[in-house]
Amino acid sequence: MKRRGIVVSRKKSKTYAYSYEQYEEQGKGPKNVVEDILADKEFPDLTELVIGCWGNPWEENCQEVINGIVANAGRFSHIEKLFLGDMNFEECEVSWIMQGDYSTLWAAMPQLKELTIKGSTDLTLGDICHEGLESLTIICGGLPRSVMKSIQNAKLPNLKKLLLYVGIEDYGFDGNESTVKELLEKSDFPNLDYLGIVDSEIQDELTEVVLGSKYMEQIRVLDLSLGTLTDKGGRLLLEKIGNWPNIKKLDIHYHYLSDEIKDKLEKLPIEVDTSEGNEEDAYDGEIYRYAMLTE
């Protein structure tokens, strides 16, 4: 599917995006996105809105898109799912995507149930307060502490799914396992059912943090995928996950587990995804493992 202006509709979801050629030749950019959405005859029938590449996302952020949605909140009142930044690496590397400030979005879209954000450069969430949001996903190469702090203090009483790409220092992660531990300790999501702390180069350490969190008593899906999980983390899972019969699925796809530990995890009496095993690299006596989304 080529992204040239307004693209193919799929049920009640539609993607709006500009190519770099449209930016260069027609001047299309973030200032035009909301205008074009509102002019689309199909838009009133949508429940899911996906914003892809806005022409030059490595130079201009998406603040005008966010501001446009907020300024026209009444006309976006039927949108229940929003994805801002859905673009592949050919359009823009994830660490280059210039995001924006979502502080005003929470009050402007009380009907919103799912929010997905891709990219963390200049990302600000502000004071999060939303009665209806059920799913929050942030896909990035590195999650800043400031963003984690906003999530830690968020008032999201109906949040069911939290999926955070932790990433690496080179692409914006400026915390450590203690930062994630504090988020899980101080946040209050009484209806959380799916917890994903993924895509980290300290996945073993984060596995220990997550297994020690209060959310283990309530979630049904534990997602520790896309990182550098080794046998150290795998053994922790084997030792402890049986303590929580509420866990029905464990997702650890993309990992660095040995066949022995992988086989043992697959025999757990729950659904376990151990696909995409990786082999570590060795160079000059050093061992190298890489999280999935590190470019």
Side-chain angles (χ1 to χ4, degrees), residues 133-146:
L133 196 72
E134 297 179 358
S135 176
L136 176 62
T137 297
I138 301 179
I139 304 166
C140 63
L143 195 62
R145 284 184 294 177
S146 58

Side-chain angles (χ1 to χ4, degrees), residues 154-220:
K155 295 178 176 63
L156 297 171
N158 287 298
L159 190 70
K160 297 177 181 178
K161 178 178 180 178
L162 178 64
L163 177 56
L164 302 176
Y165 283 57
V166 174
I168 66 172
E169 183 178 356
D170 287 347
Y171 295 115
F173 177 54
D174 55 359
N176 52 36
E177 57 265 38
S178 296
T179 314
V180 177
K181 182 178 181 179
E182 183 179 10
L183 185 158
L184 297 177
E185 286 179 346
K186 295 187 176 180
S187 59
D188 183 17
F189 307 131
N191 287 301
L192 198 68
D193 185 70
Y194 182 119
L195 176 60
I197 303 294
V198 309
D199 191 56
S200 174
E201 61 183 353
I202 54 168
Q203 200 70 48
D204 287 338
E205 291 83 353
L206 294 186
T207 295
E208 184 173 7
V209 166
V210 172
L211 290 174
S213 76
K214 60 189 175 186
Y215 293 114
M216 290 300 297
E217 297 180 355
Q218 68 185 68
I219 60 173
R220 290 168 51 86

Side-chain angles (χ1 to χ4, degrees), residues 15-213:
T15 298
Y16 297 82
Y18 303 135
S19 66
Y20 181 67
E21 288 75 17
Q22 286 177 298
Y23 164 70
E24 283 280 279
E25 297 168 10
Q26 302 172 31
K28 291 288 189 178
K31 65 182 183 298
N32 306 109
V33 173
V34 170
E35 177 184 348
D36 285 353
I37 290 172
L38 294 177
D40 179 18
K41 293 180 180 179
E42 293 185 0
F43 176 63
D45 297 323
L46 305 180
T47 57
E48 180 176 16
L49 176 62
V50 180
I51 308 295
C53 181
W54 47 86
N56 61 335
W58 55 91
E59 292 179 342
E60 286 191 70
N61 64 32
C62 61
Q63 195 61 52
E64 289 190 86
V65 180
I66 297 169
N67 293 346
I69 292 173
V70 172
N72 295 276
R75 298 183 67 181
F76 284 83
S77 62
H78 55 291
I79 298 299
E80 297 179 352
K81 299 179 182 181
L82 175 63
F83 186 166
L84 219 165
D86 183 22
M87 58 193 87
N88 60 40
F89 72 93
E90 292 180 340
E91 294 167 304
C92 186
E93 296 282 8
V94 66
S95 65
W96 297 359
I97 299 172
M98 305 288 289
Q99 267 294 334
D101 186 344
Y102 287 73
S103 300
T104 58
L105 188 76
W106 311 110
M109 300 189 77
Q111 80 288 350
L112 195 65
K113 293 182 179 179
E114 297 184 13
L115 175 63
T116 301
I117 298 168
K118 189 170 185 180
S120 62
T121 300
D122 294 340
L123 175 62
T124 300
L125 297 183
D127 295 328
I128 305 171
C129 182
H130 199 290
E131 292 287 329
L133 196 72
E134 297 179 358
S135 176
L136 176 62
T137 297
I138 301 179
I139 304 166
C140 63
L143 195 62
R145 284 184 294 177
S146 58
V147 174
M148 286 190 275
K149 182 69 73 172
S150 287
I151 297 169
Q152 174 182 310
N153 296 328
K155 295 178 176 63
L156 297 171
N158 287 298
L159 190 70
K160 297 177 181 178
K161 178 178 180 178
L162 178 64
L163 177 56
L164 302 176
Y165 283 57
V166 174
I168 66 172
E169 183 178 356
D170 287 347
Y171 295 115
F173 177 54
D174 55 359
N176 52 36
E177 57 265 38
S178 296
T179 314
V180 177
K181 182 178 181 179
E182 183 179 10
L183 185 158
L184 297 177
E185 286 179 346
K186 295 187 176 180
S187 59
D188 183 17
F189 307 131
N191 287 301
L192 198 68
D193 185 70
Y194 182 119
L195 176 60
I197 303 294
V198 309
D199 191 56
S200 174
E201 61 183 353
I202 54 168
Q203 200 70 48
D204 287 338
E205 291 83 353
L206 294 186
T207 295
E208 184 173 7
V209 166
V210 172
L211 290 174
S213 76

